[in-house]
């Protein structure tokens, strides 16, 4: 039986996206890039058909996932035409994520396609030498094997030389091709988002902290010194702490500090501040209903997105998450805020929320982070919340709130 005249593409996603991250962002962490999967798949299909001069049968996307549970990008990919997703395990060892079973799955698919004469040409997008036996087996069954590489960041090979030597045809996916679907994230300034000027926050930051907050700050500094193995309270330590403190003679205020400063006695200083505001999930700060350090009753009663969402809307939201939301942290925050504002029965809730800036009320904030976790965010580094993601998610939330609130209050015709 002759081979069917069509081509198949086998993609090692860990190699493709890791190499793209190295090329565009300088390190192989996939969290450093944003991928337009629809554009990427279309580009792979067009290039494969052009290179092989055969119509595409299917693109197989091999990737790892914790407990082999499909992540949002996998759910988006597997509903695309002519795309099949195969998942291996993603495990953590020595502080690093590693794929298990992906190479074996690619090898099995490669040899099975060739043995069954399902295609005349196979495109391999990988750099792993473990696939050499499968590649050689495919050749022995009369299949032409095309090996594609991602342009290496250092100008050298990022593929096994044995794979390169055995392939029938080779191609390098250069920077121009990669950037049609992949871009590096801009992480600069993400930890100090400023959706809109907030003079009331500047006044709070520049006001003197209450004595209780200063005492707590001193206690924290003493505890840090003990943990670092140095005695606390020396003149040198005091001077070093003073040198590190921003204008105003204090460190970055926590939400607890900010809550203690709200009230009629607050006097703003005359100088500006550039301190970074911390957020409501900071360790050690617990929401309490009412009271000077708790959440005001009017914001504690704000409805959550779940309370505002019908079953039909929930289905539509999930469909949108799968097909159109890219999973960028800032975008995720914007999408959540947009849905929340559109479904509010009373727009008077928005000014109430704005009085809490930069804190997001506890229940809404927890719901926002749980939503973000669906996109694989918040757990990149050592199983701790990723700081860049965390601040970007909330920055996107506040930016959307500010933009929509401004649009609603703009005079007609503007």
């Amino acid at each position: 039986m002759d081979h069917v005249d069509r081509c198949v593409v086998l993609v090692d996603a860990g190699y493709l996206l890791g190499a793209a991250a190295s090329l565009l962002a300088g390190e192989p962490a996939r969290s450093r890039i944003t991928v337009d999967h629809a554009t990427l798949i279309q580009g792979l299909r067009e290039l494969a058909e052009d290179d092989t001069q055969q119509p595409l049968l299917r693109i197989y996307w091999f990737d790892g996932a914790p407990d082999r549970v499909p992540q949002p990008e996998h759910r988006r990919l597997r509903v695309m035409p002519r795309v099949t997703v195969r998942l291996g395990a993603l495990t953590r060892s020595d502080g690093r994520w590693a794929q298990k079973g992906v190479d074996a799955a690619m090898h099995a698919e490669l040899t099975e396609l060739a043995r069954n004469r399902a295609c005349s040409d196979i495109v391999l997008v990988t750099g792993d030498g473990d696939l050499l036996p499968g590649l050689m087996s495919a050749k022995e069954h009369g299949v032409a094997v095309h090996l594609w590489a991602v342009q290496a960041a250092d100008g050298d090979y990022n593929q096994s030389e044995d794979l390169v030597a055995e392939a029938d045809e080779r191609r390098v996916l250069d920077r121009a091709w990669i950037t049609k679907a992949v871009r590096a994230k801009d992480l600069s300034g993400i930890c100090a988002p400023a959706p809109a000027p907030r003079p009331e926050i500047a006044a709070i930051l520049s006001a003197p902290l209450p004595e209780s907050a200063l005492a707590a700050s001193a206690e924290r500094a003493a505890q840090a010194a003990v943990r670092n193995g140095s005695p606390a309270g020396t003149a040198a330590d005091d001077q070093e702490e003073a040198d590190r403190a921003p204008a105003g003679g204090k460190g970055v205020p926590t939400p607890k500090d900010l809550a203690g400063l709200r009230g009629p006695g607050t006097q703003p200083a005359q100088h500006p501040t550039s301190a970074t505001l911390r957020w409501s999930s900071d360790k050690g700060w617990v929401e309490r209903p009412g009271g000077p350090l708790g959440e005001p009753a009017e914001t504690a009663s704000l409805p959550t997105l779940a309370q505002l969402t019908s079953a039909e809307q929930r289905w539509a939201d999930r469909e949108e998450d799968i097909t159109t939301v890219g999973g960028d942290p800032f975008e995720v925050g914007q999408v959540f805020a947009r849905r929340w504002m559109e479904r509010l029965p009373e727009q008077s809730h928005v000014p109430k929320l704005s009085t809490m800036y930069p804190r997001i009320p506890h229940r809404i904030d927890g719901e926002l982070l749980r939503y973000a976790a669906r996109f694989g965010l918040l757990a990149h580094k050592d199983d701790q919340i990723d700081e860049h993601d965390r601040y970007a998610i909330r920055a996107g939330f506040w930016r959307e709130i500010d933009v929509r609130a401004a649009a609603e209050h703009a005079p007609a015709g503007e």
Side-chain angles (χ1 to χ4, degrees):
M1 182 178 68
D2 293 333
H3 289 94
V4 178
D5 291 333
R6 53 194 180 188
C7 67
V8 171
V9 181
L10 306 183
V11 179
D12 178 349
Y15 165 76
L16 173 60
L17 300 183
S22 293
L23 179 65
L24 302 181
E27 58 179 280
R30 288 160 62 170
S31 61
R32 295 294 307 276
I33 57 174
T34 298
V35 182
D36 181 341
H37 290 91
T39 300
L40 181 59
I41 292 298
Q42 184 61 29
L44 289 169
R45 177 173 186 164
E46 292 175 355
L47 194 57
E49 292 182 336
D50 184 63
D51 267 14
T52 65
Q53 294 299 300
Q54 304 293 349
L56 177 78
L57 170 62
R58 191 172 297 116
I59 294 175
Y60 288 90
W61 185 272
F62 296 87
D63 203 1
D67 299 322
R68 301 180 190 267
V69 175
Q71 299 299 295
E73 66 180 275
H74 303 137
R75 296 199 297 269
R76 286 193 293 272
L77 284 162
R78 66 185 183 180
V79 298
M80 293 180 185
R82 303 281 177 147
V83 177
T84 296
V85 176
R86 297 279 188 260
L87 294 179
L90 192 63
T91 60
R92 196 169 184 84
S93 177
D94 297 327
R96 299 175 62 88
W97 290 104
Q99 295 183 158
K100 300 293 184 184
V102 173
D103 296 339
M106 287 190 71
H107 179 274
E109 201 72 57
L110 175 61
T111 54
E112 197 69 14
L113 287 166
R115 184 181 299 114
N116 292 328
R117 300 178 180 271
C119 56
S120 58
D121 296 76
I122 291 179
V123 175
L124 281 178
V125 186
T126 186
D128 197 331
D130 289 346
L131 285 175
L132 181 62
L135 184 153
M136 297 177 69
S137 175
K139 289 174 61 178
E140 290 169 1
H141 283 88
V143 174
V145 180
H146 306 248
L147 183 66
W148 291 359
V150 175
Q151 178 182 336
D154 57 6
D156 200 355
Y157 286 131
N158 54 13
Q159 287 180 306
S160 160
E161 292 188 18
D162 291 334
L163 277 183
V164 172
E166 286 292 334
D168 294 308
E169 302 286 347
R170 289 194 63 229
R171 171 181 283 278
V172 175
L173 306 175
D174 60 16
R175 180 185 292 268
W177 191 91
I178 292 293
T179 51
K180 292 177 182 177
V182 183
R183 64 178 177 85
K185 292 180 182 178
D186 181 12
L187 300 179
S188 62
I190 228 169
C191 285
R198 298 277 185 166
E200 73 279 11
I201 297 299
I204 290 172
L205 285 168
S206 56
L209 285 175
E211 291 184 7
S212 60
L214 290 173
S217 178
E219 183 179 352
R220 287 196 298 268
Q223 291 173 347
V226 171
R227 286 196 301 269
N228 294 332
S230 59
T234 65
D237 290 338
D238 292 342
Q239 184 59 47
E240 184 179 355
E241 186 68 27
D243 292 341
R244 285 199 301 266
K250 60 179 181 293
V252 177
T254 65
K256 185 175 178 180
D257 297 332
L258 294 179
L261 284 169
R262 295 188 183 277
T266 301
Q267 298 295 327
Q270 299 302 314
H271 55 76
T273 179
S274 59
T276 301
L277 294 170
R278 295 183 181 178
W279 304 85
S280 62
S281 66
D282 275 355
K283 185 177 180 181
W285 184 59
V286 180
E287 291 271 9
R288 299 182 182 88
L293 298 180
E295 187 176 338
E298 59 268 22
T299 54
S301 63
L302 288 174
T304 64
L305 180 59
Q307 293 171 333
L308 299 170
T309 303
S310 66
E312 292 79 7
Q313 288 172 324
R314 190 171 295 109
W315 183 90
D317 289 348
R318 182 54 62 95
E319 187 73 12
E320 182 184 18
D321 290 343
I322 293 172
T323 57
T324 62
V325 180
D328 175 80
F330 192 89
E331 179 192 10
V332 166
Q334 288 181 302
V335 170
F336 183 95
R338 170 176 57 80
R339 292 174 182 170
W340 186 77
M341 291 191 69
E342 287 177 348
R343 295 167 194 174
L344 281 174
E346 301 176 27
Q347 289 303 309
S348 60
H349 288 308
V350 177
K352 294 179 184 178
L353 178 65
S354 295
T355 64
M356 291 288 292
Y357 180 90
R359 298 184 299 167
I360 301 173
H362 183 65
R363 293 184 305 145
I364 296 175
D365 187 58
E367 191 180 37
L368 171 61
L369 295 184
R370 287 192 296 275
Y371 172 65
R374 297 181 192 171
F375 296 88
L377 302 173
L378 304 177
H380 296 313
K381 300 175 182 177
D382 301 321
D383 297 322
Q384 299 297 316
I385 289 179
D386 183 276
E387 286 294 313
H388 287 296
D389 284 356
R390 188 167 66 124
Y391 282 97
I393 291 162
R394 292 190 177 96
F397 178 91
W398 280 116
R399 178 61 55 84
E400 190 70 12
I401 295 292
D402 281 353
V403 168
R404 289 181 173 261
E408 289 179 4
H409 290 89
E414 286 191 3

